[in-house]
Amino acid sequence: MIDQNTAAKNRHRVEEDPSSDEARLRQQAIGVKLRQMFDEVVSEPEPDEFLEILRRADARDQESGA
């Protein structure tokens, strides 16, 4: 036997507002675009200036014995 709360929840799902579907689709599209942008940034090479800063930091660490 289905209790009344479960039946009410199921009825609510069937009667959902179409605008909530649109909002869900919009959120999914935003998520896809954000993942694409993140992947692009992650795949970019490191700037030469940043690599030089890391080299200098490593050299300083070796000189100080750290």
Side-chain angles (χ1 to χ4, degrees):
M1 180 175 162
I2 298 176
D3 66 23
Q4 291 178 347
N5 288 335
T6 304
K9 287 178 186 176
N10 290 337
R11 207 172 24 255
H12 177 68
R13 270 191 223 132
V14 172
E15 298 169 1
E16 279 187 13
D17 184 12
S19 64
S20 66
D21 289 337
E22 291 175 25
R24 192 175 303 113
L25 289 174
R26 233 176 294 136
Q27 288 175 341
Q28 288 174 345
I30 291 170
V32 167
K33 188 62 178 174
L34 285 172
R35 280 189 288 279
Q36 288 173 345
M37 292 172 63
F38 177 80
D39 289 342
E40 288 174 14
V41 170
V42 168
S43 65
E44 290 179 2
E46 296 80 16
D48 291 335
E49 296 85 9
F50 182 69
L51 294 174
E52 182 57 32
I53 291 169
L54 292 175
R55 282 188 210 106
R56 283 188 269 159
D58 284 343
R60 253 187 251 137
D61 286 346
Q62 288 177 355
E63 289 174 3
S64 67

